[in-house]
Amino acid sequence: MNDLWIVRFVRKDGKPDEEYFYHSQSEAEYHRDLFQNDDSGLYERIEIINDADL
């Protein structure tokens, strides 16, 4: 299956959300997890979305 995984950083400052695209769930989770301890206050939340869910 050619799933596409999206990591979406939902910003608090009104700027456009940041989206990054991956071919595997593990790659997407790895990217999200890099920000697990982010204390910048820049993001409201970080989402992982599978294109099959869209």
Side-chain angles (χ1 to χ4, degrees):
M1 196 185 276
N2 279 337
D3 284 344
L4 180 67
W5 295 86
I6 303 165
V7 179
R8 180 181 295 150
F9 290 76
V10 180
R11 297 179 61 113
K12 289 182 178 179
D13 60 4
K15 292 185 180 178
D17 295 339
E18 301 169 29
E19 293 186 337
Y20 302 89
F21 302 89
Y22 296 95
H23 292 287
S24 73
Q25 182 177 0
S26 62
E27 290 176 313
E29 289 172 344
Y30 176 79
H31 186 184
R32 179 207 53 206
D33 292 348
L34 291 173
F35 292 84
Q36 184 174 5
N37 296 316
D38 178 55
D39 61 357
S40 69
L42 185 59
Y43 304 111
E44 181 177 324
R45 67 184 177 279
I46 301 172
E47 307 170 332
I48 294 183
I49 303 161
N50 182 298
D51 73 337
D53 295 336
L54 300 178

